[in-house]
Amino acid sequence: MTVTPNASAPPEKTRSRLSLERIGIPKTLAWGFLGVLIFMIGDGVESGFLSPYLIDQGIARDQVALLFTVYGLTASIAAWFSGALSDLWGPRRVMMLGLGIWAAFQVLFLTAAVPTADMNLLLVSYGLRGFGYPLFAYGFLVWVSAVTPKHRLGSAVGWFWFAFTGGLPTLGSLFASVTIPQIGAYSTLWSSLALVVVGGLIALILVREPTGRRRLAPAGERPVATLLGSLTIVWRNPRIGVGAVVRAINTAAQFGFLVFLPVFFTDTLGFSLTEWLQLLSAMFATNIFFNLLFGLLGDRIGWQRTVAWCGGVGCAVTTLLLYYGTMAAGHNYPLALLLVSLFGATLAGYVPLSALMPSLAPRHKGQAMSALNLGAGASTFLGPAVVGLLLGPFGVQGVMWAFALLYLASALMTVFLTLPRGDAPRTGPHEPPSERSAAEITERRTAEHQS
């Protein structure tokens, strides 16, 4: 697909459109990236302090781990639905649903569950709120994958993850580090609701691109077939299943770290809560810029190679460095800053997965993105589950080794994610519309055989 400037458009608008598309942002979705950033800032406000805050309210650590695990479970379900429902309804309606769920259950969480410290209310309100952000954010990711030409898709998803991790937890944690000393933790949680609503409205009102307003599933495909297809694709196309597992491993440590690293850094290493929040912000400030770098690098050297070496192997090394380096140095802020930044950088090595997965199933991009998003949502469950199972018997050291081994396993799995010859991302400005990819031909033949 080639973008042809409108001859009747004013020169300044043409230049703006071309400059945005040159760096990988589809002009028609530009406001959506800003909306996702602000939404995820609101979602990320709590990420660095909610665990110790709930413990201070009298909730046991194992109950906090359970709460985060339930939240991760609902988020993983919502992540799968984000792609499947985008196929049925269109991404915009899915984003609207996610915004409504997040806002409604945040109000319940803050007005009823937190003041009473009632575990059942906490599980219901916080757990069901977990459906919110994946529907909104991953719905937009499906929109990006449906609109962006293949030769710029790696860059476009890099910008999506720039916005996503720019908010959760980077700017969200930084925002909390400023507001908690001024207005307190509880009021800071209320401020997150305002940010989420503002970001959601920006994306939903200002993005006018028509593709996201209609269903993405092929004409005539029944709703049940579409929903089931978003699950069956993992064995109809086993590479999609492998990719979903790799994606689950990608951010499992990130969500697991949020359960125990705040306590590890403050109680064991002696950092203040403000210092920890600043370190968490630095980790993902590095990550957001490397999201762009690895998105561009994946378009250049290959998506699979970037994921394997920069993501899998890189994260295994930096996870162990983060533990052993901080344990050896103790309360050494500059070293801790360097180590968390290295982990944040390598975590971005998985960004090309968001371009690779829909390219493995070009006739069912929504289903492929459902599988990818299911993996992303599963990571919010997998990470806290690993912590809950291993932290007690093996301590922080055992948990860090478990995550490092998972990362190495994901690097090995990428062997199965190589695109067919001739279907790799193009770095040139043109992509001939008459050339049908080998992956599309294979999937079409498989579907014909099954029917």
Side-chain angles (χ1 to χ4, degrees), residues 279 282 286 318 322 332-344:
L279 289 172
T286 306
T318 56
L322 177 60
N332 185 324
Y333 189 86
L335 179 62
L337 185 66
L338 173 63
L339 294 176
V340 298
S341 298
L342 286 174
F343 175 77

Side-chain angles (χ1 to χ4, degrees), residues 89-413:
W89 299 341
R92 186 175 183 273
R93 290 181 64 186
V94 174
M95 294 171 67
M96 291 175 61
L97 179 62
L99 174 61
I101 288 174
W102 202 103
F105 285 103
Q106 178 74 348
V107 171
L108 179 62
F109 178 66
L110 293 178
T111 58
V114 171
T116 62
D118 184 280
M119 191 61 190
N120 291 326
L121 278 175
L122 287 168
L123 287 171
V124 170
S125 58
Y126 192 68
L128 292 178
R129 204 202 78 187
F131 285 104
Y133 91 82
L135 290 175
F136 182 87
Y138 298 145
F140 184 70
L141 179 58
V142 174
W143 202 343
V144 171
S145 71
V147 171
T148 309
K150 184 182 294 185
H151 67 278
R152 296 193 187 276
L153 187 54
S155 303
V157 299
W159 279 107
F160 168 82
W161 291 112
F162 178 94
F164 186 98
T165 56
L168 174 66
T170 314
L171 294 179
S173 295
L174 188 61
F175 179 89
S177 72
V178 174
T179 58
I180 288 176
Q182 301 298 322
I183 63 175
Y186 183 69
S187 296
T188 295
L189 290 173
W190 273 108
S191 68
S192 67
L193 175 62
L195 288 168
V196 163
V197 171
V198 169
L201 292 178
I202 287 175
L204 293 171
I205 294 174
L206 298 182
V207 175
R208 305 294 179 86
E209 199 283 325
T211 304
R213 295 171 178 264
R214 59 177 183 261
R215 60 178 279 152
L216 302 179
E221 185 170 287
R222 296 179 179 178
V224 174
T226 299
L227 290 172
L228 291 179
S230 64
L231 285 178
T232 60
I233 194 172
V234 300
W235 61 79
R236 285 191 288 113
N237 188 338
R239 291 178 299 171
I240 296 294
V242 173
V245 174
V246 172
R247 180 61 185 88
I249 294 172
N250 172 199
T251 47
Q254 171 187 331
F255 290 102
F257 284 175
L258 297 179
V259 177
F260 74 97
L261 278 192
V263 178
F264 174 69
F265 268 81
T266 56
D267 291 358
T268 303
L269 300 178
F271 289 88
S272 68
L273 178 59
T274 298
E275 286 177 324
W276 157 247
L277 291 172
Q278 291 170 348
L279 289 172
L280 188 63
S281 295
M283 178 189 295
F284 292 99
T286 306
N287 177 258
I288 63 175
F289 290 106
F290 275 84
N291 282 337
L292 298 179
L293 174 63
F294 287 129
L296 294 168
L297 184 66
D299 284 343
R300 296 288 181 178
I301 70 171
W303 299 330
Q304 181 267 348
R305 185 179 297 120
T306 303
V307 171
W309 290 101
C310 301
V313 175
C315 282
V317 172
T318 56
T319 296
L320 295 178
L321 282 176
L322 177 60
Y323 173 72
Y324 287 106
T326 54
M327 281 297 291
H331 188 181
N332 185 324
Y333 189 86
L335 179 62
L337 185 66
L338 173 63
L339 294 176
V340 298
S341 298
L342 286 174
F343 175 77
T346 55
L347 194 64
Y350 288 87
V351 157
L353 269 178
S354 298
L356 182 57
M357 289 283 276
S359 299
L360 291 171
R363 284 174 55 85
H364 289 92
K365 290 185 178 182
Q367 293 182 9
M369 293 304 292
S370 287
L372 178 72
N373 294 342
L374 180 60
S379 69
T380 66
F381 166 78
L382 176 62
V386 169
V387 175
L389 290 172
L390 301 182
L391 186 60
F394 300 105
V396 173
Q397 183 180 23
V399 172
M400 293 301 230
W401 268 102
F403 284 129
L405 292 174
L406 283 173
Y407 280 128
L408 288 178
S410 75
L412 293 174
M413 292 178 198

